[in-house]
Amino acid sequence: MAKAQVQRMSRLMVKTLRDDPADAEVLSHKLLVRAGYVRRTAAGIWSWLPLGKKVLANVERVVREEMDAIGAQEVTLPALLPKEPYEATGRWTEYGAELFRLNDRKGGDYLLGPTHEEIFTLLVKDQCTSYKDLPVILYQIQSKYRDEARPRAGILRGREFLMKDSYSFDLEDEGLAHSYALHRAAYQKIFQRLGLDHRICAATAGAMGGSKSEEFLAPAAAGEDTFADCPNCDYAANTEAVSFALAPVDATGVAALEEIPTPDTPTIETLAAHLNVQASETLKNLLVKVDGEIVAVGVPGDREVDMDKVEAHFAPAAVELVTAEDFEGRDDLVRGYVGPQGLEKVQYIADPRVAPGTAWITGANKTGVHAKNVVAGRDFEVDAYVDVVVVQEGDPCPKCGTGLKLDRAIEIGHIFQLGRKYADAFQLDVLGQNGKPVRVTMGSYGIGVSRAVAALAEQHADDKGLVWPEEIAPADVHVVAAGKALQTELALEVSELLAEAGVRVLVDDRPGISPGVKFTDSELIGVPKILVAGRRSGDRVLELKDRRTGEREELSVEEAVARLTGTVA
Amino acid sequence: MAKAQVQRMSRLMVKTLRDDPADAEVLSHKLLVRAGYVRRTAAGIWSWLPLGKKVLANVERVVREEMDAIGAQEVTLPALLPKEPYEATGRWTEYGAELFRLNDRKGGDYLLGPTHEEIFTLLVKDQCTSYKDLPVILYQIQSKYRDEARPRAGILRGREFLMKDSYSFDLEDEGLAHSYALHRAAYQKIFQRLGLDHRICAATAGAMGGSKSEEFLAPAAAGEDTFADCPNCDYAANTEAVSFALAPVDATGVAALEEIPTPDTPTIETLAAHLNVQASETLKNLLVKVDGEIVAVGVPGDREVDMDKVEAHFAPAAVELVTAEDFEGRDDLVRGYVGPQGLEKVQYIADPRVAPGTAWITGANKTGVHAKNVVAGRDFEVDAYVDVVVVQEGDPCPKCGTGLKLDRAIEIGHIFQLGRKYADAFQLDVLGQNGKPVRVTMGSYGIGVSRAVAALAEQHADDKGLVWPEEIAPADVHVVAAGKALQTELALEVSELLAEAGVRVLVDDRPGISPGVKFTDSELIGVPKILVAGRRSGDRVLELKDRRTGEREELSVEEAVARLTGTVA
């Protein structure tokens, strides 16, 4: 094994802080700043200090090795990109304020790449002309730029961040499915090697377009995503992607629709109280305007409408809430007493929970009056079933019906089957085996490399500081010289022996620092093994401590070296 | 040795071109594009394809190893930077149109880092508070941005490019000199390992400020720099930095100043022809305006004034040439007949060649009249001696006097002793051993990592293509399967054997490509060793060719593996 480096803290630029930074809200932000891994340069823009850079480089190395292992080819495309390709796909405008735009000295429009689908599509169009040139998977590890409205949480959501993005190009759907499966397996290996607890969750494709998409989520309190996890089966999904199965009900025995006077009950709460029923027995009808046309959205009275889902359904049309003016001159719309059975002129979409055959209490389209036994499919028609409610803890698993658990998580990876969206935009064809052009199908795949460091810090910490997994720790062992000359000599001697054997060593040889401060720092910095040259240094005996378990044992120099180099158990 | 990768060309994205790209002017641009290493994405903005990325990564690795070896600590600072620190040093405006500037969504001013002196100074101000924290050397390898007016020559002068920049922080001048010497030695090692022929040249500090500065120049026809090289001693300097020693002459025997009628001789050419003397015997007096005040610049009549040097001397004052209006009302300034002996009201600077005691023919400050025997120091005073002439081939070496050679070169590295310019701008002090604050002194040091790839391509190529030095080649050996199934099998078998032994292999296993095309491609791509599975594959005999020398020999599989793994001579 090659000789490893000994990093002497007396020479290393690492300044630990006793207190949490004032602007830090989440654990990883606090710890990575306090332990001297990163420093803020501007809002959402961070500098990686020597220890942090080592961790980041370790994550990069693992990602690179596993991408190479699936035959992906590394390239580096620019971060400064011309406007035209992004205009061709519409993303120049769709990205909105999140895109950093700039002009060059001649007034030309440029952007800082948030993700590179367009540029890779054009590159492959230039490089690959025949079916023989495919499939191909290309990747890069590169700084990406997104002008977040509220950069927060340290490196968890920065405006400049390091990302591995890759792109697959295939002739057929089966090829895309294979490239997707290769990435899915590689991502599992990567996160396993990094020591990141993660779940693979069904996701919505969002602005990226395309069909199938899954997210790799790392459960953590600081996460900005919420995912639903089934405690019984393997189902997991971003709450935005949880679907509720449409299950029609037999309504044969339900009595006929009956109007009932319900004065002063314009809300679900007043209605349920007045009739002494559960809100879940009532049907709530939300009115929205879609490109100016009124549309009604029906959900059970106890559920909230997720406006993001409504917007996603009607995109790219604009969705607004109705205002008082919208009711003027509309005798069919009685504010507070709307029922779907009276909405002939209005499109009606409903949550799958409002399945055919289900009976509801809802507005009678007359002020102060509701109706009961209003049956979907009998008394009113649903124009389209769309998942529009906010998912709640306990909602049934779409796969096995068990009540779902909701958890917070950090998105550390995302894989997409894009299909032909970008290939269509740029006419990316290759000559097929039969001599005819074949439109290429694509996938795109991302890992947040810098964000993974934050996710690791979230998952691997205790009240004393960071506790890095071995593969990505900034060193294998942190040797601490308690302070006296003899102790420092022994610490440096054993450090050299370890490094000779290929062990990466961080040694605290700082003069004039108390042993207590050094121990506190070693726990904050979080190298997996801590080897102390302390009281028994005269006997050439050191104390080995496991950072995670706190277990300690005394070892001779030879035993310590053998243990840490793994040559002796 | 760890198993190396076999890159199969049948799966690698590498498309070679028969013809030079239409816009390519220089050799490296032509070859790197034709061999499939890089592709243009926008003006001065390039993509690194799989083979090119490997070469770039090899250069990066060498740079990183040698920086680590001098104890430099790797960090990564952002490329997107806030305006304020660059405003504090004046570089926000000084950089002019070369700086990419942009706004974020809140209208805040940002820039894309061209170089990071300001940000490193602030980082060290935050991290280092005591003399114990110094010295420190920090480096990063990162994309840099400069909006070049005329991006040309491929990756030799791009607008986004990869650079290694490092910064040293010391307490005292001797410390800075030591950090500078460490870098100088590391750079020599780096360029030697890369296989880059280079010269270390004295340089001017330019916009960076500071005192001592040297450039590492790689001689190449495509270079934009001109340097003077002494064929006799070790002197080498950028022509901008060549100095001419001031050597006073004894003027005892020179006759008195004498005016001579010279009608219609307002130029050096007409004067020399009229008097039948060499232009070098005459003194040319150029008038310029410095912040509006007229200044005369005296140089021998056969030399050109380098306006860049005049501007550098008077910076930050603005320097302009005089116009006809400037002579109005100035009886002391007779256009075409100016002589320093009549310029009492004008500052007079002269080239060191106009040394005290030298005698000249020059204007007599009367129309149609010149003067001869005009002796510097006797008949006129020089207010300041400044090197202002354009250096010419054959000018004497400032060190040994031998005639200098002029050559074109590419700047691949630049090292600066900045001194306290940036530390002063940000009050970067640390507490000294005596308890008093000490102002820190800095150096900054750059290597053009992507440019080094272009410089290598310029220096290592022949009429067939690239000829990479071993350390940075994209593979150690290029195995070519001539075409038949048997040949491809043998090529893949030997490739695996080589990779097992740690040899990096590129194997041309592309089906349906003629042997001639494969041989041409292998020479264009330029891997140092080419191993052909051709006619004698049935006997398990291959042909090994040295790309540089063209030497060929036939070897058995076992001999080839032994030779290429270096286990047998």
Side-chain angles (χ1 to χ4, degrees):
Chain A
M1 187 169 264
K3 185 177 189 305
Q5 236 189 331
V6 175
Q7 301 171 63
R8 296 176 66 161
M9 284 183 70
S10 59
R11 297 170 189 172
L12 195 69
M13 193 177 75
V14 52
K15 182 181 159 195
T16 58
L17 305 175
R18 288 293 144 253
D19 299 312
D20 290 335
D23 60 337
E25 294 168 21
V26 304
L27 186 65
S28 56
H29 184 176
K30 291 173 189 168
L31 289 177
L32 290 170
V33 170
R34 280 186 49 207
Y37 284 75
V38 298
R39 277 294 181 280
R40 182 183 176 282
T41 299
I45 300 176
W46 290 81
S47 292
W48 293 82
L49 306 188
L51 286 180
K53 176 66 185 172
K54 279 184 192 292
V55 171
L56 189 66
N58 287 336
V59 174
E60 251 188 87
R61 176 179 45 76
V62 169
V63 171
R64 184 170 279 118
E65 285 172 5
E66 297 300 337
M67 291 308 295
D68 289 344
I70 62 167
Q73 302 174 42
E74 187 171 7
V75 297
T76 298
L77 269 52
L80 178 63
L81 300 171
K83 169 194 190 181
E84 291 70 23
Y86 287 80
E87 211 166 33
T89 59
R91 295 211 299 175
W92 173 260
T93 47
E94 271 169 28
Y95 258 112
E98 210 172 284
L99 199 65
F100 281 107
R101 298 175 182 84
L102 68 159
N103 291 114
D104 73 355
R105 62 160 75 209
K106 290 174 180 163
D109 285 311
Y110 288 80
L111 61 107
L112 300 183
T115 167
H116 278 62
E117 279 74 8
E118 286 82 351
I119 311 297
F120 273 88
T121 307
L122 287 172
L123 179 64
V124 168
K125 188 178 164 76
D126 172 59
Q127 294 280 305
C128 302
T129 50
S130 155
Y131 70 94
K132 292 182 202 160
D133 299 332
L134 298 188
V136 67
I137 300 175
L138 302 170
Y139 80 98
Q140 58 177 352
I141 298 177
Q142 188 200 42
S143 288
K144 293 280 187 291
Y145 297 86
R146 288 183 200 161
D147 197 357
E148 299 282 351
R150 283 169 298 279
R152 55 173 286 273
I155 55 167
L156 212 46
R157 185 169 285 276
R159 300 200 290 169
E160 172 172 334
F161 54 96
L162 195 64
M163 185 169 159
K164 185 286 298 176
D165 49 329
S166 50
Y167 306 86
S168 67
F169 298 85
D170 282 276
L171 291 169
E172 290 158 355
D173 294 349
E174 299 76 55
L176 170 57
H178 181 65
S179 296
Y180 184 90
L182 284 175
H183 274 90
R184 197 177 193 274
Y187 278 31
Q188 285 178 283
K189 268 198 193 163
I190 288 166
F191 296 128
Q192 195 183 336
R193 282 182 63 183
L194 294 182
L196 268 176
D197 176 30
H198 66 281
R199 297 296 306 263
I200 303 179
C201 294
T204 52
M208 202 65 78
S211 50
K212 188 172 180 185
S213 156
E214 287 170 297
E215 285 172 343
F216 289 73
L217 296 182
E224 292 186 321
D225 283 79
T226 306
F227 76 106
D229 202 9
C230 179
N232 182 50
C233 75
D234 65 352
Y235 181 82
N238 193 305
T239 48
E240 291 168 14
V242 171
S243 58
F244 185 86
L246 183 69
V249 169
D250 181 7
T252 315
V254 179
L257 183 151
E258 181 187 339
E259 292 193 353
I260 42 178
T262 52
D264 300 326
T265 57
T267 65
I268 295 295
E269 290 70 32
T270 50
L271 174 66
H274 180 83
L275 296 180
N276 196 23
V277 296
Q278 297 296 315
S280 60
E281 299 174 53
T282 71
L283 177 64
K284 176 158 73 179
N285 302 289
L286 184 78
L287 299 181
V288 297
K289 278 189 296 181
V290 178
D291 275 354
E293 283 292 305
I294 288 181
V295 171
V297 181
V299 301
D302 63 333
R303 305 301 298 237
E304 293 304 313
V305 173
D306 187 334
M307 284 303 291
D308 288 345
K309 290 182 174 180
V310 176
E311 283 172 12
H313 175 70
F314 288 108
V319 176
E320 299 166 279
L321 290 174
V322 294
T323 58
E325 291 89 68
D326 294 310
F327 289 90
E328 285 170 18
R330 291 289 299 253
D331 297 341
D332 57 335
L333 302 177
V334 184
R335 209 170 181 193
Y337 298 91
V338 172
Q341 68 281 13
L343 295 181
E344 286 86 9
K345 297 185 197 151
V346 170
Q347 189 188 347
Y348 191 71
I349 68 168
D351 187 75
R353 287 165 183 82
V354 191
T358 53
W360 304 89
I361 298 165
T362 190
N365 302 303
K366 299 170 189 163
T367 302
V369 183
H370 279 83
K372 64 177 184 180
N373 303 327
V374 185
V375 174
R378 184 189 77 180
D379 301 315
F380 65 93
E381 292 302 324
V382 173
D383 294 310
Y385 281 105
V386 184
D387 260 299
V388 289
V389 304
V390 175
V391 173
Q392 292 175 358
E393 180 104 15
D395 274 353
C397 169
K399 216 162 153 183
C400 75
T402 308
L404 292 169
K405 261 178 87 268
L406 296 193
D407 274 312
R408 306 290 287 171
I410 298 163
E411 184 190 332
I412 48 175
H414 205 151
I415 54 180
F416 294 94
Q417 293 194 12
L418 295 174
R420 297 183 172 80
K421 173 181 169 177
Y422 293 89
D424 284 343
F426 298 105
Q427 295 89 50
L428 172 57
D429 298 329
V430 294
L431 216 56
Q433 201 153 9
N434 60 3
K436 287 181 187 162
V438 180
R439 180 72 27 113
V440 171
T441 181
M442 291 169 55
S444 91
Y445 317 89
I447 286 179
V449 175
S450 46
R451 180 182 284 181
V453 174
L456 281 160
E458 290 287 338
Q459 289 189 348
H460 297 274
D462 61 20
D463 57 343
K464 298 187 187 109
L466 296 158
V467 190
W468 295 109
E470 281 176 26
E471 176 118 26
I472 55 98
D476 297 312
V477 59
H478 188 149
V479 178
V480 178
K484 294 187 186 134
L486 178 77
Q487 294 162 335
T488 303
E489 268 169 41
L490 184 67
L492 291 174
E493 180 193 335
V494 73
S495 295
E496 280 302 321
L497 289 172
L498 288 166
E500 287 289 347
V503 177
R504 299 170 304 140
V505 180
L506 177 68
V507 55
D508 193 347
D509 61 338
R510 291 176 294 175
I513 306 279
S514 79
V517 168
K518 287 184 175 180
F519 296 149
T520 307
D521 277 350
S522 73
E523 290 184 311
L524 181 59
I525 289 169
V527 171
K529 303 284 182 191
I530 300 168
L531 187 65
V532 181
R535 275 173 308 153
R536 295 196 55 199
S537 291
D539 309 328
R540 298 178 63 76
V541 169
L542 303 115
E543 187 183 70
L544 180 65
K545 183 173 153 183
D546 185 287
R547 172 65 185 90
R548 187 177 299 275
T549 64
E551 280 171 39
R552 299 156 186 267
E553 56 183 321
E554 293 199 327
L555 297 170
S556 71
V557 168
E558 292 68 30
E559 285 168 340
V561 171
R563 177 74 56 84
L564 289 166
T565 55
T567 54
V568 170
Chain B
M1 188 169 266
K3 186 178 188 303
Q5 238 189 330
V6 175
Q7 302 171 63
R8 295 175 67 161
M9 283 184 71
S10 59
R11 297 171 189 171
L12 195 70
M13 193 177 75
V14 50
K15 182 180 157 195
T16 58
L17 305 175
R18 286 295 142 252
D19 299 312
D20 290 334
D23 61 338
E25 293 168 21
V26 304
L27 186 66
S28 57
H29 184 175
K30 291 174 189 169
L31 289 177
L32 290 170
V33 170
R34 280 186 50 207
Y37 283 75
V38 298
R39 277 292 180 281
R40 183 183 175 280
T41 298
I45 300 176
W46 290 82
S47 292
W48 292 82
L49 306 187
L51 285 180
K53 175 68 185 170
K54 280 184 190 291
V55 171
L56 189 66
N58 286 336
V59 174
E60 253 188 87
R61 176 179 45 76
V62 170
V63 170
R64 184 171 280 118
E65 285 172 4
E66 297 300 337
M67 291 308 296
D68 289 343
I70 62 167
Q73 302 175 42
E74 188 171 7
V75 297
T76 298
L77 269 53
L80 179 62
L81 299 171
K83 168 193 187 180
E84 291 71 21
Y86 287 80
E87 211 166 32
T89 58
R91 294 211 299 174
W92 173 260
T93 46
E94 272 170 26
Y95 257 113
E98 210 172 284
L99 198 65
F100 280 107
R101 299 176 181 82
L102 68 160
N103 291 113
D104 73 356
R105 62 160 75 209
K106 291 175 181 164
D109 285 311
Y110 288 81
L111 61 107
L112 300 182
T115 169
H116 278 61
E117 280 74 8
E118 286 82 351
I119 311 298
F120 273 88
T121 308
L122 286 171
L123 179 64
V124 168
K125 187 178 164 76
D126 172 61
Q127 294 280 305
C128 302
T129 49
S130 153
Y131 70 94
K132 292 182 204 160
D133 299 332
L134 298 187
V136 67
I137 299 174
L138 302 170
Y139 80 99
Q140 59 177 352
I141 298 177
Q142 188 202 43
S143 288
K144 293 281 187 292
Y145 298 86
R146 288 183 200 163
D147 197 357
E148 299 282 350
R150 283 170 298 278
R152 55 172 288 273
I155 54 168
L156 210 46
R157 184 169 287 274
R159 299 199 290 169
E160 171 173 334
F161 54 96
L162 195 64
M163 186 168 158
K164 186 286 299 176
D165 49 327
S166 50
Y167 306 86
S168 67
F169 298 85
D170 282 276
L171 292 168
E172 290 159 354
D173 294 348
E174 300 76 53
L176 170 56
H178 181 65
S179 297
Y180 184 90
L182 285 175
H183 274 89
R184 196 177 194 273
Y187 278 31
Q188 285 178 285
K189 266 196 195 165
I190 288 166
F191 296 128
Q192 195 182 339
R193 282 182 63 185
L194 295 181
L196 267 176
D197 176 30
H198 67 281
R199 296 298 304 262
I200 304 179
C201 295
T204 52
M208 203 65 76
S211 50
K212 189 174 178 184
S213 157
E214 287 170 296
E215 284 173 345
F216 290 72
L217 296 182
E224 291 185 322
D225 282 79
T226 306
F227 76 105
D229 201 9
C230 179
N232 182 51
C233 75
D234 65 352
Y235 179 82
N238 193 305
T239 48
E240 291 167 12
V242 172
S243 58
F244 184 86
L246 183 68
V249 170
D250 181 7
T252 315
V254 179
L257 184 151
E258 180 187 342
E259 294 192 353
I260 42 178
T262 53
D264 298 328
T265 57
T267 65
I268 295 294
E269 290 70 31
T270 51
L271 174 66
H274 180 83
L275 296 180
N276 196 23
V277 296
Q278 297 293 317
S280 58
E281 298 174 54
T282 71
L283 177 63
K284 175 159 71 180
N285 301 290
L286 184 78
L287 299 181
V288 297
K289 278 190 294 181
V290 178
D291 274 354
E293 282 292 303
I294 289 181
V295 170
V297 181
V299 302
D302 61 334
R303 304 302 297 238
E304 292 305 313
V305 172
D306 186 333
M307 283 304 291
D308 289 345
K309 290 182 174 180
V310 176
E311 283 171 13
H313 175 70
F314 289 108
V319 176
E320 299 166 280
L321 290 174
V322 293
T323 58
E325 292 88 70
D326 294 309
F327 290 90
E328 286 169 16
R330 293 288 300 250
D331 297 340
D332 57 336
L333 302 177
V334 183
R335 208 170 183 196
Y337 300 91
V338 172
Q341 69 282 14
L343 295 182
E344 285 85 12
K345 298 183 197 153
V346 171
Q347 189 189 348
Y348 191 71
I349 68 167
D351 187 76
R353 288 167 183 82
V354 190
T358 55
W360 303 90
I361 298 165
T362 190
N365 302 303
K366 298 170 190 165
T367 302
V369 183
H370 279 84
K372 64 178 183 180
N373 303 327
V374 185
V375 174
R378 182 187 80 179
D379 302 316
F380 64 93
E381 293 302 324
V382 173
D383 293 309
Y385 281 105
V386 184
D387 260 297
V388 288
V389 305
V390 175
V391 173
Q392 292 174 359
E393 180 105 15
D395 274 353
C397 170
K399 217 162 152 182
C400 75
T402 308
L404 292 169
K405 261 178 88 265
L406 295 192
D407 273 312
R408 305 290 286 172
I410 299 164
E411 182 189 333
I412 48 176
H414 205 152
I415 54 180
F416 294 93
Q417 293 195 12
L418 295 174
R420 297 181 171 82
K421 173 180 170 177
Y422 293 90
D424 285 342
F426 297 106
Q427 295 87 48
L428 171 57
D429 297 330
V430 294
L431 217 55
Q433 200 153 7
N434 61 4
K436 290 182 186 159
V438 180
R439 182 70 31 113
V440 172
T441 182
M442 292 170 54
S444 93
Y445 317 88
I447 287 180
V449 176
S450 46
R451 180 182 284 182
V453 175
L456 281 161
E458 291 286 338
Q459 289 189 347
H460 297 274
D462 59 22
D463 57 343
K464 298 186 186 108
L466 296 159
V467 190
W468 294 110
E470 280 176 26
E471 176 117 28
I472 56 100
D476 297 313
V477 58
H478 188 146
V479 178
V480 178
K484 293 187 186 131
L486 177 78
Q487 295 162 337
T488 303
E489 269 169 41
L490 184 67
L492 291 174
E493 180 193 333
V494 73
S495 295
E496 280 304 321
L497 289 172
L498 288 166
E500 286 291 347
V503 178
R504 299 170 303 141
V505 180
L506 176 68
V507 53
D508 193 347
D509 60 339
R510 291 176 296 174
I513 306 279
S514 79
V517 168
K518 287 184 175 180
F519 297 149
T520 307
D521 276 351
S522 72
E523 291 184 310
L524 180 60
I525 288 169
V527 170
K529 302 285 181 190
I530 300 168
L531 187 64
V532 181
R535 272 174 309 153
R536 295 195 56 199
S537 291
D539 310 328
R540 298 177 64 74
V541 170
L542 304 116
E543 188 184 70
L544 180 65
K545 184 174 150 184
D546 185 285
R547 172 65 184 89
R548 187 176 297 274
T549 64
E551 279 171 39
R552 298 156 187 265
E553 56 183 320
E554 292 199 328
L555 298 169
S556 71
V557 169
E558 292 67 31
E559 285 168 339
V561 171
R563 177 72 57 83
L564 290 166
T565 56
T567 54
V568 171

